[in-house]
Amino acid sequence: MSASPLAPDWLHYPHDANALRGQEWAHDVRRGDDGQLRVDGVGVRDIAAQFGTPVFVVSEADFRLRARAFRDAFNDAFEPLCGGADVYYAAKAFLCTEVARWIVEEGLRLDTCSGGELAVAVRAGLTGAQLGLHGNNKSDAEINRALDLGLGRIIVDSLHELQRIQDIAGQRGESANVMLRLTPGVHAHTHEFIATAHEDQKFGLSLTAGGDDARSPAEAAVALALESQNINLLGLHCHIGSQIFEPDGFEIAATRLLEFLASVKDAHGVELAELDLGGGYGIAYTEQDEPRPPAEIANAMAAVVGSTCRRLSLSVPRISIEPGRAIAGPTTFTVYEVGTLKTVQVDIAGSTGESATAPRRYVSVNGGMSDNARPVLYDADYSAVLASRASESEPELSRVVGKHCESGDVVVRDVYLPADTSTGDLMAVPGTGAYCWALSSNYNYIGRPPVVAVKDTSARLIIRGETEEDLLARDVGAQG
């Protein structure tokens, strides 16, 4: 067997279908002598037997290691400039009470974007000073909850929202800690739906003047915040997008925000004390992805921030960042069980002739778009391996699909799997720690899978899977 003409250009025919590409997996995932995938010594067959499939399997040690790597890298890089940096884990990537506790124990803070995420954080024992609240349309209840908790920061996306927060804080006779999220006009090299710093989208205050006011929305917001007795303006925030590998977007955004800080100093005589440069650092989902290590990211950012502040005669503000995917993503893989298999003949693009076709094998698993919506939402690519055993068979181009009643229910679009992959085998898809469980649904009335954490050669449940009784519990007609 050889490479398939249907494979994308970036996908290489593997010499060994059993091999694991290290960047896609937690550091303690190995293939054992018995051929099965193991995380911290625990085999996937044992995990599947105890907890069922599909199941998200997270390495606690790897999660903590990645959290510490960002904490240490940014502290080391910015310590000479501003005394260090604050790392806020982006809860939207994946959150439960266990993860919230891991984050705080590793010296990070937590960035939330809803009242529900705040509720998880509070249940985990976090205090207001450790928390931030995002969101372009915070409800009055969420704003009040943030003030009740004494949140360390509320990130504001619009002039209207700033006025609402001022009014609510004023009615309470309090002051809200606020950062202004700006759109620096950077179009990041990523999917359109996860690029968030260009002008034409819902997030942030524009730096560009327009409309009846000669000032930009960002300038108007700064003026309002500084004049208000009920707003404590901490500084500025930006986020240019997600799953970004190239450094230039981060550097341009940092430069533009620092230049805006200098203009605030000139206009108001105030040097704002904090600058959050967001997150969005890419991870390896497939062999085409080459993520940058945290130290490289931190040192590059520190160099730009330091030189720009010197050029503008600014004190270096306290820097913060918000990695989510880069911490959670590689820590986790999803285990599925293989069901139905079929092979179809597909026309080869650009070929002429009656027999210009090639086989594509469809491998169906017992999950899909309800536990990983990213392929259908963002055209996201993933990889997969046979997990319950090793195989000596030749690799065969395969498409891993889910069990949902949708033709777009694709888990892995293109991957080489052993030709003898069969019903009952376990398959593992790496890089599912971010935005998979968090985006999961009950489509087709399928329960969301459990999440299992592995630590010190032991597996434990941190989120239980849903049962049919759970699915019916809110159906009022089912309670009669």
Side-chain angles (χ1 to χ4, degrees), residues 65-381:
L65 182 69
R66 293 176 191 276
R68 288 195 301 272
F70 273 97
R71 179 201 67 193
D72 293 345
F74 275 82
N75 265 327
D76 291 347
F78 282 95
E79 197 280 330
L81 297 176
C82 57
D86 299 314
V87 179
Y88 285 77
Y89 171 69
K92 64 178 183 173
F94 172 63
L95 182 66
C96 64
T97 54
E98 278 282 291
V99 163
R101 293 181 186 117
W102 298 348
I103 285 298
V104 173
E105 288 168 4
E106 297 302 334
L108 278 65
R109 303 181 186 190
L110 189 68
D111 172 63
T112 67
C113 57
S114 73
E117 289 181 353
L118 276 177
V120 174
V122 171
R123 184 64 61 90
L126 277 69
T127 62
Q130 298 167 312
L131 300 169
L133 177 64
H134 265 287
N136 66 296
N137 187 29
K138 304 173 190 69
S139 67
D140 287 358
E142 287 169 332
I143 294 169
N144 275 294
R145 176 180 278 184
L147 294 172
D148 288 342
L149 294 171
L151 239 62
R153 62 204 304 192
I154 302 173
I155 295 89
V156 172
D157 272 87
S158 66
L159 190 59
H160 181 220
E161 182 179 64
L162 180 63
Q163 292 167 333
R164 288 179 57 226
I165 293 172
Q166 174 188 246
D167 291 344
I168 292 172
Q171 291 164 8
R172 296 168 57 111
E174 298 177 16
S175 179
N177 297 319
V178 161
M179 297 189 78
L180 301 177
R181 178 169 176 171
L182 308 188
T183 51
V186 178
H187 199 108
H189 305 292
T190 188
H191 191 282
E192 176 187 357
F193 293 166
I194 50 178
T196 58
H198 55 284
E199 295 289 343
D200 190 14
Q201 46 85 35
K202 70 176 186 175
F203 292 111
L205 291 145
S206 175
L207 290 168
T208 303
D212 297 332
D213 197 332
R215 301 172 299 178
S216 70
E219 291 169 331
V222 167
L224 175 60
L226 291 176
E227 291 166 3
S228 174
Q229 295 181 347
N230 303 108
I231 298 293
N232 175 28
L233 182 58
L234 303 175
L236 305 179
H237 177 286
C238 77
H239 181 71
I240 66 172
S242 298
Q243 190 58 3
I244 299 167
F245 296 100
E246 299 301 324
D248 53 336
F250 295 112
E251 294 167 1
I252 294 169
T255 300
R256 290 181 181 173
L257 261 67
L258 288 168
E259 289 172 344
F260 185 76
L261 277 178
S263 72
V264 170
K265 178 183 177 181
D266 291 341
H268 301 279
V270 174
E271 287 197 57
L272 299 180
E274 298 186 30
L275 176 62
D276 190 308
L277 295 173
Y281 318 117
I283 68 168
Y285 287 109
T286 68
E287 64 185 69
Q288 64 185 322
D289 299 326
E290 293 293 337
R292 304 164 73 208
E296 183 180 325
I297 299 169
N299 290 331
M301 282 193 179
V304 170
V305 169
S307 62
T308 304
C309 285
R310 287 191 293 273
R311 172 171 64 83
L312 298 171
S313 299
L314 274 179
S315 300
V316 178
R318 179 76 178 187
I319 298 296
S320 52
I321 60 164
E322 297 170 357
R325 181 199 316 265
I327 293 175
T331 69
T332 302
F333 59 88
T334 307
V335 180
Y336 300 101
E337 183 175 326
V338 175
T340 302
L341 298 95
K342 76 169 187 178
T343 300
V344 299
Q345 293 295 320
V346 179
D347 291 336
I348 300 172
S351 297
T352 58
E354 296 181 0
S355 61
T357 63
R360 188 195 313 280
R361 181 176 58 168
Y362 280 78
V363 179
S364 297
V365 296
N366 61 338
M369 62 190 296
S370 61
D371 59 73
N372 188 352
R374 293 191 66 255
V376 71
L377 286 178
Y378 306 127
D379 298 321
D381 288 313

Side-chain angles (χ1 to χ4, degrees), residues 378-454:
Y378 306 127
D379 298 321
D381 288 313
Y382 283 83
S383 63
V385 298
L386 185 62
S388 50
R389 61 183 175 88
S391 172
E392 299 301 321
S393 294
E394 291 293 316
E396 181 178 340
L397 185 69
S398 304
R399 177 160 290 174
V400 181
V401 295
K403 64 178 293 177
H404 295 280
C405 194
E406 294 284 346
S407 59
D409 181 24
V410 175
V411 179
V412 183
R413 190 173 291 105
D414 297 288
V415 63
Y416 284 103
L417 294 170
D420 66 351
T421 300
S422 60
T423 301
D425 281 332
L426 298 179
M427 183 176 299
V429 175
T432 58
Y435 304 105
C436 291
W437 190 91
L439 283 168
S440 61
S441 73
N442 294 131
Y443 186 49
N444 292 153
Y445 265 69
I446 292 174
R448 285 171 287 191
V451 182
V452 171
V454 179

